[in-house]
């Protein structure tokens, strides 16, 4: 009900972006609900993957029976955009980029580096503002964020967290390191990274 109500308020926006956890877990029931209430009414919606989408076992007792590739194919069958990377430009002013950074718990992916590099180049050439959307935030690696308080609490369990520990960092692998370096070296065009994993509203800066 909250999702339906929120989307109805946003229906006249230039773009609607959801930063993951649209599904509680990968099931036919969750798929049908997502299509009926989110994807079909808003066909131009942009959706990043969360950590729930690629899971079939959420706090349950049954083992996972699908490979990651099988889950990816199942999700891509009804997802509104490419699972791993997509970009679009709004009114020749703002570039929106969504990227998967948690579906295999390895952070960003090597196949995202080339299109991301090209989109940053395109943004510079055309004076676009770039907004990034993914599920897990980038670790600020700054001690002042070791005990960060939410500006707006959506889930009491995430009212105060260590944003350094819960974020994506170079330690997740070479692809994550390269993507993060691209972000940090492009403040002239990239103006914000918006993420959804924490279930509450936090703000941090990465340099």
């Amino acid at each position: 009900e909250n999702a339906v109500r929120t989307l109805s308020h946003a229906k006249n926006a230039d773009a609607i972006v959801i930063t993951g956890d649209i599904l509680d877990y990968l099931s036919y029931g969750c798929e049908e609900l997502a299509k009926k209430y989110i994807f079909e009414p808003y066909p131009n919606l942009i959706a990043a993957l969360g950590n729930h989408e690629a899971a079939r076992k959420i706090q349950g007792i049954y083992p996972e029976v699908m490979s990651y590739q099988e889950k990816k194919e199942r999700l891509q069958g009804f997802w509104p955009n490419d699972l791993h990377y997509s970009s679009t430009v709004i009114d020749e002013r703002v570039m929106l980029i969504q990227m998967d950074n948690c579906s295999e718990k390895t952070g960003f992916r090597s196949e995202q580096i080339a299109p991301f590099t090209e989109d940053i180049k395109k943004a510079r050439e055309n004076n676009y503002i770039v907004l990034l959307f993914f599920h897990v935030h980038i670790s600020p690696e700054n001690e002042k964020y070791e005990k960060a308080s939410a500006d707006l609490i959506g889930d009491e369990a995430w009212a105060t967290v260590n944003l350094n520990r819960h974020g994506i960092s170079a330690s997740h692998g070479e692809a994550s390191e390269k993507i993060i370096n691209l972000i940090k070296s492009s403040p002239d065009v990239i103006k914000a990274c918006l993420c959804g994993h924490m279930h509450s509203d936090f703000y941090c800066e990465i340099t």
Side-chain angles (χ1 to χ4, degrees):
E1 291 182 3
N2 287 339
V4 172
R5 183 169 59 252
T6 300
L7 287 168
S8 70
H9 291 314
K11 63 184 178 182
N12 295 317
D14 292 328
I16 299 175
V17 185
I18 300 179
T19 53
D21 285 356
I22 295 173
L23 308 185
D24 189 26
Y25 56 93
L26 183 56
S27 69
Y28 288 109
C30 287
E31 175 183 338
E32 290 305 310
L33 286 172
K35 289 192 292 188
K36 180 178 179 179
Y37 293 107
I38 300 176
F39 296 152
E40 291 173 0
Y42 306 96
N44 296 320
L45 176 143
I46 301 167
L49 283 178
N51 56 300
H52 283 235
E53 274 82 21
R56 297 202 68 197
K57 182 186 72 170
I58 297 293
Q59 297 177 340
I61 61 174
Y62 298 102
E64 294 280 3
V65 295
M66 295 177 70
S67 68
Y68 173 72
Q69 183 61 31
E70 290 172 325
K71 294 175 188 176
K72 173 185 171 183
E73 292 172 359
R74 167 86 174 274
L75 286 163
Q76 192 65 80
F78 64 90
W79 213 252
N81 46 259
D82 185 84
L83 292 174
H84 302 306
Y85 189 96
S86 65
S87 64
T88 187
V89 176
I90 306 296
D91 294 334
E92 287 301 311
R93 294 184 297 119
V94 181
M95 177 181 285
L96 310 179
I97 299 175
Q98 76 77 26
M99 309 169 70
D100 169 34
N101 71 350
C102 67
S103 62
E104 289 189 291
K105 298 182 179 180
T106 56
F108 294 101
R109 307 167 64 86
S110 59
E111 57 264 40
Q112 296 167 327
I113 297 171
F116 187 43
T117 301
E118 186 60 30
D119 275 338
I120 291 174
K121 178 182 177 183
K122 181 179 178 181
R124 286 198 174 103
E125 291 172 348
N126 294 278
N127 294 316
Y128 295 150
I129 290 173
V130 177
L131 302 179
L132 303 181
F133 300 87
F134 33 80
H135 190 57
V136 181
H137 69 278
I138 294 172
S139 172
E141 299 181 326
N142 187 317
E143 62 180 14
K144 74 178 183 179
Y145 298 116
E146 289 180 357
K147 193 175 182 180
S149 297
D151 297 312
L152 179 65
I153 300 172
D155 184 339
E156 289 292 341
W158 296 102
T160 303
V161 299
N162 184 335
L163 293 179
N164 297 323
R165 183 164 61 87
H166 288 282
I168 298 292
S169 68
S171 65
H172 283 80
E174 183 178 354
S176 287
E177 182 178 15
K178 289 183 177 180
I179 293 287
I180 291 170
N181 286 339
L182 282 168
I183 293 171
K184 289 182 175 181
S185 63
S186 306
D188 55 317
V189 289
I190 298 175
K191 301 305 179 182
C193 304
L194 298 102
C195 314
H197 185 50
M198 307 307 290
H199 296 200
S200 292
D201 290 351
F202 291 90
Y203 172 84
C204 68
E205 297 180 359
I206 55 175
T207 57

